Amino acid sequence: MTSSPQDLPVLAGRPFPLGAHPEAGGVRFAVASSVAERVELCLVDPDVSERRIELTERTFGVWHGLVQGVLPGQTYGYRVHGPYEPKTGLRCNPHKILLDPYARRVTGALTDMEAARGWADDPEGVEMSTVDSLGHVPLAVVTSPGGPDTGTKPEVPFEETVVLELHVKGFTQQHPDVPEHLRGTYLGLAHPAVVEHLLRLGVTTVELLPVQAFTDEPSLVAAGRHNYWGYSPLGYFAPHPGYASEPGREVEEFRTMVAALHAAGIEVLVDVVYNHTCEGGPDGPTLSFRGLEAPAYYLHDDDGHMADITGCGNTLEAGSPAVVRLVTDSLRYWTTELGVDGFRFDLASTMGRPRGGAFDRDSTLLTAITTDPVLARCKLVAEPWDATGEGYRVGAFGAQWAEWNGMYRDTVRDFWRGASGGVDQLAYRLSGSSDLYDHTLRRPWQSINFVTAHDGFTLRDLVSYDHKHNEANGEDNRDGTDDNRSWNHGVEGETDDAEVVALRTRQARNLLATLLLSTGTPMFVAGDERWRTQGGNNNAYCLDDATSWVDWTSTPESDAMLAFARRVVHLRANSPALRQAEFFDGRTTPTGRPDLIWLRPDGQEMTEPDWLDPERRTLGMWIDGSHSQSRTREGELLTDHSWLLLLHAGAEPLDVVLPGPEFGETFEPTLDTTSPDGSPAGTAPLAAGGRVTVQGRSLLLLKAPRQD
C-alpha cells in the first residue's frame, strides 16, 4: 500500500549530514547517489506495508528532504531508479529496497537471497530482477542522537597499553555470574563480574571483534550457516543489533557498555572492516551500496567488472570521495557519539590502494583519517595486509599508525618450537622491531605484538596441534591457514600424558611471557588466560557455539594459567624498563652501561658470528633500567630496576653465567616459566658472575635492583 506525497508534507531540508536526523516536526533524510534519476524514501510500517515518498531535492549528488510527521523509531529504506548497466558497474534497481549507508540502527535480516539479488538470470546480464526484496532484507530505523553518557575516555598512553582481543558475545555467553538474559550482549560485557575479571587480569584496553552491523555473506546464506566473527559489514554506523539484550536498544546498551569500561579505566577499541561489505561479488545481493551507486563504493576494473583484492567478493574503492566521506563520517560517529577510543582496521592495506594500485601510505583515505582533528587523537591500528600479490605491508604505514606485527608472531612461535634458525630475528622482536618501525618516525609501542589472535589457533591449541581441524566449518577442512607454526609436542590434540601436558603448559607460559615482556604493545586473545581450546579449529568464523565461546569453568589448569597471566601483566605494568617508549640505541645510561646488551650463556656479549649461528637456541637480554625512557602521565622520566631476560628453547637444562658486578651486585629471580604460576623455585638473590641453571624450554627473568 502506497500513500501519496501529500500525506506527509516534504520540505527541502539540507544535504548534510547524510542519514536520517530528527528535526522539529519531522525527520530530515539525505542519501547520496550521483547516478540516480529518482529516489524514493520508503517508510515501512510493522505490517510491512510501505509508503513511498519521492525526494525531489538533489544537491551535490545528495537526494534529501525534510519529511514532517515522521518520528524516531520509523523503519525506512530507499528505492533508487537509475541505470542498470552491469557492463559499466551500475546496478540501480527500484525493485530492491536499500539500507541507508548512514543508518544508526538496523532491523531485520537477509532471509531470501533470491529476492535480494538485483539480477534476473545472469549477474553480468542486462536484465534486472523484478522480485521485490521488501520483507526479506535489513532496513534502517530513524534514531535520535544521544543516550547514556559514555564517560571520560581513559586515554591510556600507548606505552602502558595491554590489549585483550575479545568477541562481545563469546566472552560472556557462558559466564556464570552474568544473568542469563545479559549473556552474550553489550550489557553482559558491562557486568561488574566481567569488568572485575578485566581489572584483575590487568589489561588496559579491550579490542572488540566487529560490532558494526553485519549480516551473513552469500556463501554462508546458501549453506545455511552464520557469520560469528562479524567480518561481513552491512552498516558502518549501527551497532550490531544481535548483541542487544533488548531488540532496538543496541545504541543505548553499547553506550552503557562503554561507560562501564571507561569507569574502570579500560579503553574500547573496535575492529572495523572498511575494505569490503556483505554484498559480495556481482552475484551477491543488492542491499545498499550496490543499488545506490556501485562504482562510487566498490573497486571496478576498466571494463566495469568488480575487482576483488580482499578475497571477500568486493573491495571498497579507497580512492572514491564517497568512500572517504563514508569512512571518516563513520569513525567520527563511533568516536564522538558512541565513545570508543580507537580502531583496528581489518585488511588495512586495501585502504592504501586507490583504484587497486600499489600501496601508498599517503593515500587519500589513510591521510583523511590521520589528519582529521577528532580521529588523530584515537589509537589507530592497521592490519597491514590484503589479498594482493604485495599484500603484506608490515612496517610500511605512516607515522601515526600502529600495526599488527605478524613478523613478531611468526618469529616467537618459531623460536619456541625450535624452528627459528638462530636468534637474530628474535632480538629485533623482543626490542620493539626497530627494523620495521624506527625509520618511519614511529615508536616501539606502534608494534602491536601478538602470538595468537581470533584468526588462528588459541594459545592452548598452538601447543597441542600440528594441523588445523576445521571440519565443523563445513568446508572439508580447506579453509584456514596451513602455516600455523605450531607444535603438538608429540601428540595431536588432547592427551592424558602428563609429560606432554606439562611441556605444553610450559611452552604456553613461554609464549605468553615473551609477549608481555617484549618492548612494544602486547595483545592476546580473551580465553587464552583461561586455557581455552577450539579443538584445533583455526578459523572458527562461522561457529557460534561452545567452540568459540570462552569457557569460564574453573579447573586447575585454567586457574594456573590465569594466575600466570595476571602475574606477568602486572609485572610489566610495574616495570617501566620493560615497556619503554623509545627504541634502544646503545645510549649510555647513568650507570655507565648501554641501555641494552645481548648476552651469550657464558655471560659474554653476543658477537657477529653468534648472531649468524643457526643452531643458537638461547639468548640473554640485559635492559638497564636506570634511564628507562618511560614516563609518568605528567611526562617525567621513570627510573627502574635493571632486568636480565633469559630465553632458552633448547630441550636440555643449561647453566648460564650471570653478568659481572658492574651490571649489579645481585640478581633476583622474578619470573620462571617452569612453575605453573610463574613464581621462581627460589627467590634468594644470586651473586654477580655466578651461575644459574635454566631448565630446558623455559624463560627466566631476573631483577638487578637499582642502587638508590
Side-chain angles (χ1 to χ4, degrees), residues 47-95:
D47 62 357
V48 199
S49 63
E50 175 187 9
R51 292 172 288 167
R52 299 187 186 183
I53 300 170
E54 188 161 347
L55 299 180
T56 59
E57 296 292 327
R58 181 173 61 175
T59 307
F60 314 129
V62 176
W63 298 80
H64 55 93
L66 174 58
V67 184
Q68 297 183 319
V70 177
L71 300 174
Q74 174 66 57
T75 300
Y76 72 98
Y78 293 105
R79 295 185 185 271
V80 174
H81 301 256
Y84 186 84
E85 301 171 353
K87 66 179 180 180
T88 64
L90 296 173
R91 299 171 183 271
C92 301
N93 183 342
H95 301 285

Side-chain angles (χ1 to χ4, degrees), residues 337-463:
E337 286 292 311
L338 300 182
V340 305
D341 304 278
F343 306 91
R344 180 265 190 186
F345 294 81
D346 182 65
L347 297 184
S349 296
T350 64
M351 300 167 65
R353 299 186 189 279
R355 292 165 295 284
F359 178 80
D360 177 9
R361 71 179 188 181
D362 297 320
S363 72
T364 303
L365 181 52
L366 295 177
T367 300
I369 293 170
T370 56
T371 57
D372 184 285
V374 172
L375 304 179
R377 298 187 61 182
C378 296
K379 282 185 167 74
L380 303 175
V381 181
E383 182 191 32
W385 53 85
D386 56 45
T388 67
E390 62 146 10
Y392 194 47
R393 302 300 300 168
V394 64
F397 278 71
Q400 289 173 246
W401 292 91
E403 295 176 11
W404 270 27
N405 189 347
M407 290 185 67
Y408 181 95
R409 172 200 60 206
D410 295 347
T411 299
V412 172
R413 287 187 180 191
D414 281 348
F415 174 76
W416 285 113
R417 71 188 180 108
S420 62
V423 295
D424 56 334
Q425 284 295 308
L426 178 66
Y428 276 121
R429 306 307 148 231
L430 290 172
S431 58
S433 295
S434 60
D435 57 329
L436 299 177
Y437 303 114
D438 196 16
H439 60 285
T440 53
L441 302 177
R442 289 195 272 183
R443 301 285 190 89
W445 41 256
Q446 288 171 284
S447 173
I448 307 299
N449 299 333
F450 66 103
V451 175
T452 58
H454 68 275
D455 188 359
F457 282 149
T458 66
L459 182 64
R460 179 172 175 173
D461 290 353
L462 185 63
V463 296

Side-chain angles (χ1 to χ4, degrees), residues 178 182 185-192 243 245 252-254 256-257:
V178 175
L182 298 182
T185 70
Y186 300 121
L187 295 185
L189 186 53
H191 191 275
Y243 301 149
S245 67
E252 176 183 339
E253 293 189 9
F254 185 91
T256 300
M257 175 198 72

Side-chain angles (χ1 to χ4, degrees), residues 31-331:
V31 65
S33 176
S34 66
V35 300
E37 297 162 1
R38 290 174 53 215
V39 172
E40 292 176 303
L41 168 68
C42 306
L43 303 179
V44 181
D45 294 325
D47 62 357
V48 199
S49 63
E50 175 187 9
R51 292 172 288 167
R52 299 187 186 183
I53 300 170
E54 188 161 347
L55 299 180
T56 59
E57 296 292 327
R58 181 173 61 175
T59 307
F60 314 129
V62 176
W63 298 80
H64 55 93
L66 174 58
V67 184
Q68 297 183 319
V70 177
L71 300 174
Q74 174 66 57
T75 300
Y76 72 98
Y78 293 105
R79 295 185 185 271
V80 174
H81 301 256
Y84 186 84
E85 301 171 353
K87 66 179 180 180
T88 64
L90 296 173
R91 299 171 183 271
C92 301
N93 183 342
H95 301 285
K96 310 302 167 183
I97 190 166
L98 305 177
L99 179 76
D100 182 356
Y102 280 68
R104 267 53 170 177
R105 269 186 55 206
V106 172
T107 186
L110 174 58
T111 59
D112 187 330
M113 183 63 69
E114 182 176 352
R117 291 187 180 120
W119 46 276
D121 300 312
D122 179 0
E124 302 292 349
V126 297
E127 186 178 353
M128 69 171 66
S129 166
T130 58
V131 178
D132 199 299
S133 64
L134 178 61
H136 307 290
V137 296
L139 295 173
V141 180
V142 176
T143 305
S144 297
D149 184 12
T150 57
T152 301
K153 294 187 177 185
E155 295 189 337
V156 178
F158 238 130
E159 67 187 78
E160 299 177 17
T161 300
V162 177
V163 181
L164 185 70
E165 187 194 35
L166 63 84
H167 188 283
V168 168
K169 180 175 184 180
F171 194 57
T172 66
Q173 184 65 29
Q174 299 186 104
H175 199 298
D177 296 329
V178 175
E180 189 169 349
H181 72 284
L182 298 182
R183 293 176 188 171
T185 70
Y186 300 121
L187 295 185
L189 186 53
H191 191 275
V194 177
V195 176
E196 181 186 11
H197 172 79
L198 297 174
L199 288 173
R200 293 188 65 194
L201 182 57
V203 297
T204 69
T205 306
V206 294
E207 180 177 302
L208 309 181
L209 266 67
V211 289
Q212 294 174 333
F214 61 87
T215 192
D216 301 326
E217 52 266 55
S219 60
L220 286 179
V221 173
R225 307 181 73 82
H226 299 286
N227 189 305
Y228 169 69
W229 284 350
Y231 293 93
S232 184
L234 170 68
Y236 288 120
F237 291 77
H240 185 60
Y243 301 149
S245 67
E246 295 184 38
R249 297 176 66 88
E250 53 267 25
V251 176
E252 176 183 339
E253 293 189 9
F254 185 91
R255 292 173 64 113
T256 300
M257 175 198 72
V258 172
L261 292 168
H262 281 175
I266 297 172
E267 294 179 309
V268 179
L269 307 187
V270 296
D271 198 333
V272 288
V273 189
Y274 298 116
N275 60 78
H276 76 283
T277 78
C278 63
E279 289 186 310
D283 59 342
T286 296
L287 302 176
S288 182
F289 304 100
R290 194 193 309 278
L292 285 166
E293 186 178 356
Y297 292 101
Y298 295 128
L299 182 64
H300 288 72
D301 61 25
D302 293 338
D303 296 325
H305 298 296
M306 295 184 72
D308 179 12
I309 62 172
T310 64
C312 301
N314 63 52
T315 302
L316 289 186
E317 170 54 274
S320 166
V323 170
V324 173
R325 179 171 60 196
L326 174 77
V327 171
T328 53
D329 285 352
S330 167
L331 291 171

